[in-house]
Every structure is written in C-alpha cells, then in structure tokens.
C-alpha cells in the first residue's frame, strides 16, 4: 500500500518511513503543504499521515483541500496539538483517526491495519477467502492448517485485492500500489499477470480459486 507522510520533523519522518517500509508499505514524504499537493496530483495513496503544524500551511486547511484531491485515501492526523477542538475539527473534515505525539510506531501501524479492515468491511485481521484464511498481521495464507508459500509480492498483491474485494482493479492500479510508480516507458502489465498466475497455481493445489476473476481488457477482481 502507498503512504504519503506529510511531516516537517525530518527525523520523525525518516523513522516512520523506515518502519513502514520494513512492513512492506511504499512511502513518499513531504515536509511542506506545497510538496504534499504536488505529490497528490501525481500519485494515488492508500494512506496520508498528516501533521497539523506545517511551516507553510495549517494542516487542517490542507486536510480540507486534499480530501477533494485524494478522496479514496485514509487520513491519520499526527500532531502535538492537544486541543479537543482540533481533534474534533480534523475528524469532522474527514480524518479517519487522530494520533497525538509522541506515539508508538507499532500503534500507528495497528491503527492503519484497523482502518484498512474497517473500510473493507472486515474487522478481523484473519480474513476468509473461499477455503483459505489470510492473516494480515502475520502475513500468512493458510488452507486448513497448511501455510501456503507465497512470495512477499504475491502476498502484497493478494491482500490488497482482498481489502478491495468486489471492486475491479486495473493492472496499472495494482502495479502502482504494490510496486510503486511506473513511468509510461517502464510500465508492463506482465508484472501483474505473472504474479496472478503464480498465486493461482500455488493456491489451486489446495482448493479452487474461482473468486479470483480476470476482467478481460481491465484487470482483476476478487468476488466474494
């Protein structure tokens, strides 16, 4: 999943980025509201982590504007402001959560996972997918008690599709959210097709995967 960290404290920004990338998130960073707007014009994000105390803009004003630019993103406010009215205004403007500084990076990750599950309609970190179980926290796919050996990218792809089940996803969408940005010159839909083929092969050795649908000329969808 793609994350934009909007935070002017560079040390904190680096800590968040390193931590989330170890958990297989793709992270961009912006230290000002102007940098953030440029990135949001060029990219789609699953999460936007937003500090309210930016040097060139109030974070609440930026939140109000960016909700229109990235309506599908989930927003978490990260701030040292402790005023109740700031928290209420941020949530009223569409933030999904509010995390006061200082905070635990593990708690941040846990809240991000909870938001993803809630938005997908799954509040349990272990999701059922046909005859399979997907443990989002442990990054494991199991059939009965047998763990299926998916590669890191195969798991990222499958879990992203599960969290967006019943939605058509284009190959470009999947590539951007799993591999990062592709320019027109280096984008190749074969990246996705090869991994989908591998996922099907590994999982059909245990049970049918009719829920994983190919949409001709579009991409893929998990239908449950």
């Amino acid at each position: 999943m793609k994350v934009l960290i909007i935070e002017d404290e560079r040390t904190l920004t680096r800590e968040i980025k390193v931590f989330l990338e170890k958990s297989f998130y793709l992270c961009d960073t912006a230290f000002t509201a102007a940098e953030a707007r440029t990135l949001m014009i060029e990219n789609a994000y699953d999460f936007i982590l937003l500090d309210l105390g930016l040097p060139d803009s109030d974070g609440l004003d930026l939140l109000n504007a960016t909700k229109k630019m990235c309506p599908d993103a989930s927003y978490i406010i990260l701030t040292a402001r402790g005023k109740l009215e700031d928290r209420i205004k941020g949530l009223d403007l569409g933030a999904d959560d509010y995390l006061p500084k200082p905070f635990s990076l593990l708690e941040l990750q846990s809240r991000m996972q909870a938001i993803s599950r809630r938005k997908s309609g799954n509040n349990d970190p272990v999701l059922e997918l046909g005859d399979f179980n997907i443990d989002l926290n442990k990054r494991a796919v199991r059939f009965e008690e047998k763990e299926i050996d998916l590669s890191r990218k195969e798991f990222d792809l499958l879990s992203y599709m599960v969290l967006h089940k019943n939605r058509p996803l284009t190959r470009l969408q999947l590539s951007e959210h799993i591999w990062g940005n592709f320019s027109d010159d280096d984008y190749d839909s074969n990246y996705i097709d090869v991994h989908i083929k591998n996922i099907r092969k590994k999982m059909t050795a245990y049970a049918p995967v009719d829920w994983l649908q190919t949409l001709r000329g579009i991409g893929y969808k998990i239908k449950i």
Side-chain angles (χ1 to χ4, degrees):
M1 289 192 176
K2 291 187 67 176
V3 181
L4 174 60
I5 306 166
I6 310 171
E7 167 64 65
D8 67 329
E9 294 183 29
R10 293 176 182 263
T11 299
L12 177 59
T13 300
R14 184 169 58 254
E15 289 175 353
I16 295 172
K17 185 175 188 291
V18 169
F19 177 82
L20 291 179
E21 287 181 341
K22 287 181 179 178
S23 298
F24 310 110
Y25 290 90
L26 300 167
C27 297
D28 291 335
T29 60
F31 303 112
T32 66
E35 292 175 353
R37 288 190 181 96
T38 298
L39 287 168
M40 284 186 281
I41 289 171
E42 298 173 349
N43 303 283
Y45 293 99
D46 299 293
F47 279 94
I48 295 178
L49 310 181
L50 172 63
D51 177 34
L52 296 186
L54 299 172
D56 60 339
S57 176
D58 184 279
L60 291 174
D61 294 334
L62 179 61
L63 173 62
N64 192 34
T66 57
K67 284 293 290 185
K68 301 171 185 176
M69 299 169 64
C70 295
D72 296 328
S74 298
Y75 290 76
I76 299 180
I77 294 174
L78 310 175
T79 183
R81 293 186 191 177
K83 292 182 179 180
L84 179 61
E85 53 265 36
D86 284 335
R87 282 182 282 174
I88 292 174
K89 186 175 181 181
L91 296 171
D92 285 346
L93 287 173
D96 296 274
D97 207 343
Y98 189 107
L99 197 56
K101 299 177 183 177
F103 55 83
S104 161
L105 294 175
L106 286 172
E107 181 181 2
L108 171 61
Q109 182 184 16
S110 179
R111 293 193 184 207
M112 292 171 68
Q113 292 171 339
I115 290 171
S116 293
R117 295 195 302 268
R118 184 171 69 246
K119 285 197 167 184
S120 69
N122 296 289
N123 291 318
D124 191 332
V126 181
L127 310 178
E128 291 187 3
L129 186 58
D131 297 310
F132 302 90
N133 290 323
I134 299 181
D135 191 323
L136 298 177
N137 291 346
K138 295 182 179 179
R139 295 180 57 84
V141 178
R142 296 184 179 87
F143 174 78
E144 297 177 348
E145 297 301 317
K146 174 68 174 179
E147 184 169 336
I148 299 170
D149 184 24
L150 296 185
S151 71
R152 180 186 124 187
K153 289 301 184 184
E154 289 165 0
F155 182 87
D156 289 344
L157 180 57
L158 181 62
S159 60
Y160 183 80
M161 294 179 69
V162 171
L163 290 172
H164 296 82
K165 64 181 185 296
N166 299 319
R167 286 177 49 187
L169 297 169
T170 68
R171 291 172 174 83
L172 181 57
Q173 281 179 304
L174 293 168
S175 295
E176 287 179 338
H177 286 274
I178 304 303
W179 279 269
N181 298 329
F182 282 79
S183 69
D184 291 339
D185 293 334
D186 63 12
Y187 170 67
D188 184 353
S189 65
N190 191 52
Y191 287 118
I192 295 297
D193 296 333
V194 168
H195 283 281
I196 291 290
K197 180 180 178 180
N198 289 339
I199 291 169
R200 281 187 169 134
K201 181 178 180 180
K202 291 178 180 180
M203 297 183 76
T204 52
Y206 298 90
V209 293
D210 299 337
W211 37 263
L212 179 52
Q213 298 184 344
T214 300
L215 306 178
R216 189 177 299 275
I218 299 175
Y220 297 93
K221 178 175 73 172
I222 286 183
K223 184 177 180 179
I224 300 178

